[in-house]
Amino acid sequence: MSYLEVNRVSKHYKKNQVLQDVSLDVESGRTLVLFGPSGAGKTVLLRIIAGVVEPSDGTVFIDGEDMAPVEAEHRGVGMAFQNFALFPHMTAYDNIASPLTAEKLPASTIEERVQSVAKLLKIDHVLAQLPRALSNGQKQRTALSRALVGEPPLLLLDDPLRNVDAKLRFEMRLELPRLLSGRGATVVYVTQDYKEAMAMGDKIAVLNEGRIQQYGTPEDVYLRPATIEIARLFGDPVINLFDVTPNQGADGLFASLSGVDIPLPDLSEQIAGSECVLAVRPENLEFVDAKADNAIPVIVEAETPLNEKVITLAMTTGGREILLSRPAGAPGIASGNAHVAIKIDSTLMFDKATSKLLGSNSNESNRGEAA
Amino acid sequence: MSDIKMSIESVDKFYGPINDSVAAVSNLSMQVQTGEIVALLGSSGCGKTSTLRMIAGFEEITRGNISIGGQLINRLPPVKRGVAMAFEGYALYPPLSVRDNIAFALKSTKLSQSEITSKVNAIADMLEISDILDSHPSSISGGQQQRVSLGRALIRDAELHLLDEPMGQLEPQLRALLRGRIKHYIKSNGLTAILVTHDQAEANALADRIAVMEEGELQQFDTPDTIKERPANLFTGTFIGEPPMNVFDASVHRDGDVFVFTLGQKNSVNLTYTQDQLGPSIGSMLESRENITLGVRPYAVTRRAEGVPATVMVNQWLGDQSHIAADFADKSLVMVEHDRSPERSGEDISIHLDPMSLHFFDSETGDALSHGGVLVS
Amino acid sequence: MQHVSLIERLLRGVALILVVVFFMFPIVWIVLMSFQTNETILRVPPSFIFEPTISNYKALITGKLETSAASLEINFLRNLGNSVLLSVGSVALALLLGVPAAYAFARHKFKGSEDIAFTLLSFRFAPPLLVLLPLSLYFQKIGLADTYIGLIWVYQLICLPLILWIVRGYFEDISPDIENAYRIAGHSWFSTFRKIALPLAGPGIAAAGLLAFIFAWNNFIFALVLASADKQPVTVGALAFVTASGIQYGQIAAAIVLSIAPTLALALYAQRYLVEGLSLGAVKG
C-alpha cells in the first residue's frame, strides 16, 4: 500500500509554471528518487510534500490522509536540506534535539536518542560545537541526524550529498541505504547525480521542466530510457547518438554507419525509411579485429581513464566522434587506426522527431505520466 | 622528446615570516618534459595553487628556482614568462564578446585577421561554443564561461599552458567528450600543460604524470598507473582511486610457513597466506613486524568459493558497474564489479584477497612497504 | 610582492592621520570649548592653551546660568531626562511594532505588501514641517499636544520606517530553509519566529534600534513644535543658551558634550553588534 501519494500536483509562481500535473506514489518503506537537472522542480515538489510550500493545485496524501489542512509541523516528516539548514546559533546537540523538544519529551529521553543517532553517524564527539565550527562532512551528518532522530515514517532528503566532497559522497552513498533501511522509513530522495539516483532508488522519477518524464525502476530508466534526453542524463560517459535511417534488407533491418551496414534488431514499430537515432552506451562498443563482422574503422584520438574504466575518444572515417568505455586492464588501443563493433543487442533506437524510445514496452516505464 | 620544458628546484613558499610561519610549499622539486601534461593534485590548501601562481608569476618565490625552457624566470614579470593560463574564476573580459575574449591574445601577434578567425572557429568547435561566439560573458552559463576561458588559454602559442581547475564546472554530459578532445588537442599540437585540480578523475583522465601534494609537500610524482599500483604512502594510496582503497589494520604472526593476518577486533577475520603466495621477499619484511596496515583496491577484491565470509550490506548497480559494500572485519569492504551483481543486502558472500593485489604499509609512518609481492626499494 | 615598502607604510599613516583629524577635529574642539569661558573662546586668534574651568558643567547641573548681564534659570538636566525618555520610549515602541511587521513583509509576500512597505518608508520623504502644522492642530484638539505619549507617537515617523526597512533586510537574509527545518521538526510558526528568526536577526535588530535611537535623540523639529519647556529634549533645550545678552558658547559646548555622551557610549558599546549585524551573511547556513 502506498504510504505517500502525490496526486496531480501543480505549482506556479505568477506565470512561471514550476510543476505540472505531477502524480507519484511511494510504497511504505521504499525509496523514491526524484531525479532531474537543476530547475526541474524537484525541490519545490519536496517542499510541497513537507508542507512548507502550498501547491497551486492537486493533493498530497500521507498514510492515506489528505495533507491540505495539515501544517508542516504536524505532518511528522523528517527532512534534510542540500545546504544543511542548520540553526547557526544552536550547538549540534540542540540542532539534532530540535524535533524531540517539539514533542516535549523528557530531557533524559532526548539525551539518549540524540546520543544514539549521533553515535550511529559518528558525530558524537562534536555535539557541543556550533555549526560554524564543524567541517562540511560533520554538518551534513548533523543535518541527517536531525532528520532521523525523531524516527519519522517519511523522510525527505534534498540532495543531501551535494555539498560534500567526492570521497565523502561516495562513502555516504554506501552508508545511507543502511541507515535508512534499518528504520523502515519511506524515503523521497532528491538528486542531480544519476549514480546516486540508481544507487539509492527503488524507483526513480525523472523530472524535467516540471513534468515527470519517466517513472520506473533504475533498470527501466537505464536500460529503457523513455527519451533521448533521459538516455543522455544517465550514464558517464554520455551515451553515443548516431543519426540513422534504417533500411529493410534481405536479412532484416540494417543501418549504414561510416559505410558499414549494421544489422539492427527487429522492433515492434515499422521504422524502415524513417529518421531515427541509434543510441549506444560507451560500454557497448568494443575494439575488434579489422576482419570481424561489421567492424567500423576509426582513428583513436585520446584515451582518458575514469574510475576503473578507460574511456576512448575515437573518430569514424565519416567524422563522427564516438566514446568507448572498457574496464581498466582490459585490452584496448591507445592511438592510431582501429576497428570497433557495436554490441547491437544492447542498443536503443529513438524516433528522431519525437525523441521517444522505439520498440520498447513503454507502457510500464511511462506509468507515472499516465497516472 | 625528453627535453625539460619547466623545472622547479627546491622551491619554498612562505606567506608569513620565513621559517616562522607554515610553509605553503616546502622543498618542492619537479620537472616537466616538453609535450607532457602534468597534473598538480591535492585537496584545498595543499600548495598546488601557490605552486601554479609562482610559475605564472603572480606570487613571489620565497626560496629556490623555477625555469621555463631553460631560462630562470624567478624575477621575470608574468607577461615575459611565455605562459598561457586558464583561471579558476574564468577572468573573462566582460565588455568583450566570447569571440574577442578568445582572440584577445592573438591580436598582438603577427597573425592575419583571417588566420585568427579560423583558429578561433576551430577551437570554438572543439569546445562546443560556436553558437555563443557573439555573446558576452555575462549572458552565458558557468560551464560555458569555463569553456571560453579554456579556449582563450589553449589558442595561444605559449611555452607552457597553465590550467587552474579547468573542468570543474563542465556539464556532465560534455565532460568525457571534452576531456578526450582537449587531450587530443594538447598532444597533437605538442603543447606542454600543467593543470591544477582537486578532482582526481580530471587528473587521471588528462595527465601523463600526476604530482600529488599535501600540506605543501610533494607526496608522489608519477604516472597515474604507477600511483595507483605503487602508491608511495598511505596518503596517496587512499587519496587516489575512486572508490578509495580499502584499508585494514592487521596484526601478523608467523606459523611455520604460513603468515596469518588478523583484521579487526570484534568480528576479526584471519587471512592466511604461505610465504610462496606472498612472494619471496615479503616474508623477511613481515618477520620483524607485529602490526601492519593492509590495503586492497576495490576492483581487486574478488570472490571465490573457499574465500573469507563477508555479509553484503549494500549492492548498488550504476549501469556499468556494481558497487558493493560488505561487512568485513568490523569495517565495510568496498568492491567494484563491472557486471551487474545479483546479491541483496544481508546475503553472505565469500571473498578472496589475492596476495598479488595487496599493498602493505607501515602502521606507524604510513610509508609503503610492498605492492603485490614486490618490496618498495 | 606582498612586502609593503617603508614609503608605502609612511604614506598610509599620513593619510590615516589626515582623515582622523578631519573628522575628529570638531568634536575635539567642542570638548575643549566646554572647558573654557566665553571670553577665552572668543579671543582671536584661538589657542589650545587655556586655563580649564568646569564652570560650564556646574552651571548646567545646578541649573543656574550666570552671565555678565544677569543670571538665568535653565533646566538642562530635565531636558536630558526628556531626551532619554522620548528616545527610549519611541525606539521600544518602534521595535515592538516594527520587528513583527518586518518579519511579515520579509516572509509573506501578498498583493500590495510592497506598496504598504513603501508607504511606510515614504513618511521619511515628507518635510516634517509639512506634517507638523496640521498635526499640532489635531493634537491640541484631542489632547495629545505636549504629552510624552503624543511625542513618542510622532517620533514613530522617524523610528518605525527605519527599523522596518533595516530589520526586514535581515529577515530576508535568513535562509527560509533554516526556518522550514524548524517547522518540519514540529515547531509552530510563532515558536520558529521566536527561536530562530529573532535570534538570527538579533544583531540586525540591535543595529537598527541603535540607529533609530540616534535619530530620535537628535530630533529637533517635532519637539520644538509639539512640546512645551518641561517636555523638551536637549536639542530644543539648547536654544535657551541663546540669550538676550549673547550666546553662551561655553555652556552650549558643555551641553553638547553631555548630550552626545550617551549616544557615543551606546554606539561604542554596541559596535560589536553593529559589525556583527552588518556581516550577518557570514552566519547563514
Side-chain angles (χ1 to χ4, degrees), chain C residues 16 50 59 106 111 141 175 178 182 184 189 212 233-234 239 268 282:
Chain C
L16 215 61
F50 57 89
K111 217 177 160 103
K141 280 257 168 63
S175 154
I178 291 182
Y182 204 66
I184 291 168
W189 75 263
V234 281
L239 281 178
L268 285 177

Side-chain angles (χ1 to χ4, degrees), chain A residues 54-362:
Chain A
E54 271 182 49
S56 309
D57 209 353
T59 338
V60 173
F61 296 93
I62 295 178
D63 206 6
E65 190 188 342
D66 182 357
M67 284 292 121
V70 182
E71 295 273 348
E73 64 263 35
H74 299 127
R75 291 195 179 188
V77 304
M79 183 158 173
F81 294 82
Q82 187 196 117
N83 53 10
F84 313 133
L86 295 176
F87 314 128
H89 57 307
M90 297 185 187
T91 61
Y93 180 94
D94 289 334
N95 264 283
I96 299 172
S98 62
L100 304 178
T101 54
E103 287 181 51
K104 306 232 167 16
L105 293 174
S108 59
T109 317
I110 294 180
E111 166 89 34
E112 202 179 294
R113 285 174 68 176
V114 171
Q115 290 292 351
S116 99
V117 76
K119 197 163 273 166
L120 192 66
L121 281 145
K122 300 172 202 138
I123 45 166
D124 40 332
H125 57 295
V126 295
L127 286 177
Q129 311 270 9
L130 285 175
R132 65 167 163 269
L134 301 179
S135 73
N136 249 8
Q138 289 165 340
K139 280 186 197 167
Q140 189 242 9
R141 283 164 184 267
T142 306
L144 276 173
S145 302
R146 185 176 68 188
L148 291 172
V149 74
E151 304 201 341
L154 180 60
L155 259 177
L156 308 175
L157 305 179
D158 184 6
D159 217 343
L161 305 186
R162 186 162 173 77
N163 284 334
V164 297
D165 66 58
K167 193 143 285 184
L168 197 59
R169 198 179 312 147
F170 182 83
E171 215 173 90
M172 287 304 289
R173 195 174 79 208
L174 286 170
E175 192 178 327
L176 260 181
R178 215 193 284 211
L179 287 173
L180 301 178
S181 66
R183 291 165 182 263
T186 307
V187 182
V188 181
Y189 188 105
V190 163
T191 182
Q192 296 192 35
D193 178 341
Y194 88 90
K195 288 184 186 166
E196 256 172 64
M198 297 202 35
M200 306 292 302
D202 294 309
K203 283 274 190 71
I204 299 174
V206 183
L207 213 62
N208 202 3
E209 289 171 359
R211 288 171 179 278
I212 291 186
Q213 312 279 338
Q214 189 169 4
Y215 181 42
T217 62
E219 208 167 8
D220 290 335
V221 177
Y222 192 81
L223 299 178
R224 292 178 291 280
T227 65
I228 294 178
E229 196 44 47
I230 296 171
R232 279 174 53 81
L233 288 172
F234 282 75
D236 185 21
V238 70
I239 197 163
N240 293 294
L241 299 175
F242 305 106
D243 288 341
V244 293
T245 308
N247 288 312
Q248 192 66 48
D251 307 329
L253 218 51
F254 72 92
S256 171
L257 267 181
S258 294
V260 180
D261 287 344
I262 313 281
L264 300 175
D266 273 331
L267 299 176
S268 46
E269 284 98 337
Q270 199 48 252
I271 58 170
S274 61
E275 288 194 338
C276 295
V277 175
L278 178 68
V280 188
R281 297 222 177 260
E283 63 265 26
N284 295 327
L285 281 160
E286 55 189 346
F287 286 111
V288 291
D289 196 77
K291 290 190 275 300
D293 283 348
N294 308 315
I296 305 169
V298 296
I299 300 165
V300 173
E301 302 224 304
E303 210 173 59
T304 56
L306 173 77
N307 309 345
E308 310 312 338
K309 294 183 292 186
V310 178
I311 313 303
T312 311
L313 175 67
M315 181 88 84
T316 66
T317 43
R320 298 193 211 231
E321 278 173 311
I322 55 173
L323 288 164
L324 293 85
S325 159
R326 64 174 196 273
I333 292 161
S335 65
N337 293 310
H339 287 81
V340 299
I342 297 173
K343 294 179 195 164
I344 202 69
D345 291 334
S346 316
T347 59
L348 301 164
M349 189 69 85
F350 294 92
D351 183 334
K352 190 171 186 205
T354 64
S355 102
K356 289 240 162 43
L357 182 67
L358 293 168
S360 76
N361 44 347
S362 50

